Amino acid sequence: MSRCPNPRNPVDVAGVIGHDAQRAPGDRLRRVRVRGRETDRRGDRRVRARGVRLSLEEAAACLAELRRRIRSPAVEYKANHLLRTKHRRVLEWFLGPLGPVHGRAHVYLVDKKRLLANELRALAGPGIRPDDELLAAFNDVLRTRNRRDPAAGSFFAMAGDTAELRAKVAEARDAKALDPLVPAILRAIEYWSAGGEPVFLVHDEQPSLKGDRLARIESSPGLAGVKFVDSRTDPRVQVADFLVGVARRIAEDALNGNGDEILTGLLAPYVDSASLWD
């Protein structure tokens, strides 16, 4: 498998938003009590994968090899096939130094709580203490446009009800401050074009990427162009989908104290240093 893209052409970088980004109703921070303490449910932590640098032929060959090694009768393969215990050796090969994406992929991790805390400090000032109760209320107020929603009153009662803060919250809500999709894409373009080679972004179809959000991406330095595709028909996006699913599981297990040292070590070279992750 060739590892050197044609230097005369823009580099194709396939991006995919993780399927783990699907939200619970209202995208609320759900909490459960475990052994006397409250913790986030696993699904509330987010992972974004933002780059697989492969040609169509290389990505198709990668998928074919995964099928050969996994040997599942499934029509469409997903990361959960790779994450099964019986396929542990295939997973280690996929992420390992002899695998098809080593040195050709890039993962951007986001911890939802850190993202919330950073945004709250930016709006309310560095002196505010973002405990779980306040973060949950802040998350809710950024998700509702109903001023009479009890969530709004709860947040402002805790954070301070001023016209200035309400205006800042409204602005952050309109800017979709809790959605790291656009910043992650911009970071991927910056990362892959750092050597001066233009990037052509191939991304799965995203209805939310339009208007000002799409304009920010299209005006990014280093971007040669962008194309939205059906993830089921583009092997580059499918490989990126594999990676995001695997990265999500490994990163969340590590965050929750159940990490696998070998898999965490194999994932480490892919993780963006700018990630919002512990």
Side-chain angles (χ1 to χ4, degrees), residues 50-156:
R50 284 273 72 81
V52 174
R53 183 175 177 168
L54 298 171
S55 68
L56 276 169
E57 294 76 16
E58 289 170 330
C62 173
L63 293 177
E65 182 63 16
L66 283 170
R67 283 185 173 276
R68 187 188 72 80
R69 291 174 181 247
I70 293 175
R71 298 185 180 278
S72 168
V75 175
E76 184 177 3
Y77 276 30
K78 291 290 185 180
N80 64 333
H81 289 92
L82 201 54
L83 289 165
R84 292 171 184 168
T85 303
K86 63 181 179 180
H87 297 141
R88 170 63 181 249
R89 293 181 64 184
V90 184
L91 176 56
E92 292 183 5
W93 164 80
F94 179 72
L95 292 176
L98 299 180
V101 295
H102 190 76
R104 309 290 296 280
H106 178 243
V107 178
Y108 183 81
L109 302 178
V110 176
D111 180 341
K112 173 69 175 294
K113 288 184 68 175
R114 285 192 62 181
L115 178 64
L116 271 169
N118 289 350
E119 188 64 28
L120 178 57
R121 292 190 187 99
L123 296 185
I128 197 163
R129 299 184 63 181
D131 58 28
D132 285 351
E133 185 178 4
L134 180 56
L135 287 179
F138 182 50
N139 181 74
D140 291 345
V141 79
L142 285 181
R143 297 294 179 187
T144 181
R145 292 185 177 276
N146 181 3
R147 294 185 178 183
R148 296 182 179 180
D149 190 311
S154 176
F155 169 72
F156 290 112

Side-chain angles (χ1 to χ4, degrees), residues 32-49:
V32 293
R33 186 165 294 277
V34 179
R35 294 181 182 177
R37 64 184 181 88
E38 284 192 343
T39 182
D40 291 332
R41 285 189 187 273
R42 184 172 176 173
D44 295 322
R45 296 295 173 93
R46 308 295 179 82
V47 177
R48 298 290 188 270

Side-chain angles (χ1 to χ4, degrees), residues 82-84 87-96 246-247 249-251 253-254 258-271:
L82 201 54
L83 289 165
R84 292 171 184 168
H87 297 141
R88 170 63 181 249
R89 293 181 64 184
V90 184
L91 176 56
E92 292 183 5
W93 164 80
F94 179 72
L95 292 176
V246 166
R249 175 70 64 82
I250 296 172
D253 284 349
N258 303 313
D260 183 304
E261 289 187 8
I262 293 176
L263 294 182
T264 301
L266 289 174
L267 179 64
Y270 298 93
V271 178

